[in-house]
Amino acid sequence: MDEKNILIRCDGLVKIYQCDDVEVMALQGLDLQIEQGELLAIIGKSGSGKSTLMNMIGGLERPTAGKLYLDGEDLYAKSDKEMTIYRREQVGFVWQMSSKNLIPYLPAVENVEAPMRGMGVGKEAMRERALSLLERVGLSHKKDAYPHQMSGGEQQRVAIAVALANEPKILLADEPTGALDTKTSNQIQDLFRSLNEELGITIIIVTHDMKLAHKVDRVLMISDGKISTEKVLKEDYRKALQQLEDDSMLNLFTHEEYSVLDKAGRLQLNDEMLEAAGIDGNRVKVEIMDGKVVISKE
């Protein structure tokens, strides 16, 4: 990873929620680096901490401990007013439910214009950009349609155009295909890839859907509030993705998988690895063999 190109750096992020008399630790000293222009997915089960991490990057929640840097600047050293400006100007959000993305009583073109209002953009320039974004997501013919007149996939495409209205540095998508059928889901995933390639925008997709692994450059697996493993798209498949029309031709070997060491040298093994190795206890044997670290059951 090119240190000069790091856009987001998380150092020891901790988030604790107080629920009545019980403390719930959503993030447990999470470390992470994301480059400018990456297309990546953060995948984990419900309660793994993936949505909390997205909210941190989006400036919606402050950490209990740790640091989050954007372009080398401590994001949470900002005032509440500065954080509002950050969310408005540098981050675009796409949520799973269209009710959080779109204003129901506005047609598509005015929904896309909405984030630009009050930003000093003239009416003509605002309309021109809104129409351009709708064309980019393939919905220029739906510019006058209201949300209830569009399918779920069309609503998500408009939501993506809304998220891009203010030319953000980061596009955050929380389960953007969770309510869609497989065909429409694939179309939305392909749209994210084309936007990433054409605009160079950093796109972070938070999901529980492992099928997304074939569509992004890097997959981060999060478990118990920490990054456990990551998968990096092989260069051969990066080229093939631009040519394949049948996603069924992709297989589970599109990515190289790595386990992630934190700054303390700790390693987290996922359930699949533990099961494959026959490890069911809390102690393992660690040996160095021919320059390799070998972990086996006791």
Side-chain angles (χ1 to χ4, degrees):
M1 185 169 287
D2 186 354
E3 289 291 326
K4 295 180 181 178
N5 200 34
I6 299 298
L7 175 65
I8 298 166
R9 185 190 306 274
C10 302
D11 286 345
L13 277 188
V14 174
K15 181 62 178 182
I16 300 174
Y17 295 102
Q18 188 75 37
C19 301
D20 296 326
D21 295 329
V22 179
E23 289 187 344
V24 178
M25 185 172 286
L27 298 180
Q28 302 187 42
L30 182 142
D31 298 319
L32 173 64
Q33 295 181 12
I34 299 174
E35 289 189 357
Q36 170 64 46
E38 269 202 85
L39 171 60
L40 65 97
I42 299 173
I43 297 180
K45 299 176 182 177
S46 177
S48 61
K50 61 185 186 297
S51 292
T52 299
L53 175 58
M54 189 198 78
N55 288 342
M56 294 285 183
I57 295 172
L60 297 173
E61 296 186 45
R62 292 182 180 272
T64 305
K67 301 284 188 180
L68 194 157
Y69 299 93
L70 180 78
D71 275 339
E73 182 180 358
D74 185 353
L75 181 62
Y76 286 97
K78 294 178 180 292
S79 66
D80 289 344
K81 182 178 180 180
E82 290 172 326
M83 289 300 292
T84 299
I85 295 172
Y86 165 73
R87 290 191 296 269
R88 185 177 65 201
E89 298 182 358
Q90 299 196 53
V91 185
F93 295 93
V94 179
W95 307 100
Q96 178 178 347
M97 303 305 294
S98 62
S99 58
K100 294 185 69 174
N101 295 317
L102 305 177
I103 301 170
Y105 53 83
L106 293 181
V109 67
E110 291 184 34
N111 261 287
V112 182
E113 289 176 342
M116 294 182 270
R117 297 187 185 280
M119 299 290 292
V121 182
K123 286 186 178 181
E124 289 187 11
M126 192 161 56
R127 179 55 57 97
E128 183 179 348
R129 176 157 177 76
L131 292 173
S132 174
L133 286 170
L134 286 173
E135 183 176 2
R136 186 178 287 276
V137 300
L139 282 182
S140 56
H141 63 292
K142 290 281 186 176
K143 64 183 178 65
D144 295 320
Y146 290 84
H148 72 273
Q149 297 172 318
M150 294 182 280
S151 67
E154 289 170 341
Q155 290 175 3
Q156 284 299 70
R157 286 176 177 270
V158 176
I160 293 169
V162 171
L164 294 172
N166 286 333
E167 302 180 89
K169 281 186 177 181
I170 306 165
L171 180 62
L172 296 175
D174 189 12
E175 300 283 6
T177 61
L180 305 177
D181 60 72
T182 300
K183 180 179 178 180
T184 306
S185 174
N186 284 333
Q187 292 172 347
I188 295 297
Q189 292 166 17
D190 288 337
L191 177 58
F192 280 127
R193 173 163 285 280
S194 65
L195 290 171
N196 170 256
E197 293 173 348
E198 294 166 12
L199 303 178
I201 187 174
T202 303
I203 300 178
I204 303 171
I205 304 170
V206 173
T207 184
H208 66 275
D209 186 1
M210 280 299 299
K211 293 177 183 178
L212 264 175
H214 301 313
K215 299 287 189 176
V216 300
D217 298 333
R218 188 159 62 118
V219 179
L220 302 176
M221 306 296 295
I222 188 169
S223 177
D224 298 324
K226 299 183 74 172
I227 303 299
S228 58
T229 60
E230 69 174 62
K231 300 173 185 282
V232 181
L233 185 66
K234 296 177 182 178
E235 190 60 36
D236 289 345
Y237 283 96
R238 191 186 309 275
K239 296 173 182 176
L241 275 173
Q242 299 172 357
Q243 302 170 5
L244 285 178
E245 295 182 0
D246 182 5
D247 291 331
S248 65
M249 294 178 67
L250 292 172
N251 57 49
L252 296 176
F253 302 101
T254 54
H255 290 68
E256 295 280 4
E257 182 169 347
Y258 301 89
S259 291
V260 178
L261 287 173
D262 65 15
K263 290 186 176 180
R266 291 172 296 198
L267 177 68
Q268 189 177 48
L269 303 179
N270 61 39
D271 293 340
E272 290 78 9
M273 291 178 179
L274 294 173
E275 184 178 352
I279 298 171
D280 55 9
N282 60 0
R283 296 178 64 181
V284 296
K285 189 174 182 180
V286 181
E287 301 173 282
I288 306 297
M289 295 183 180
D290 298 325
K292 298 180 180 180
V293 178
V294 179
I295 300 174
S296 57
K297 62 181 179 180
E298 194 176 12

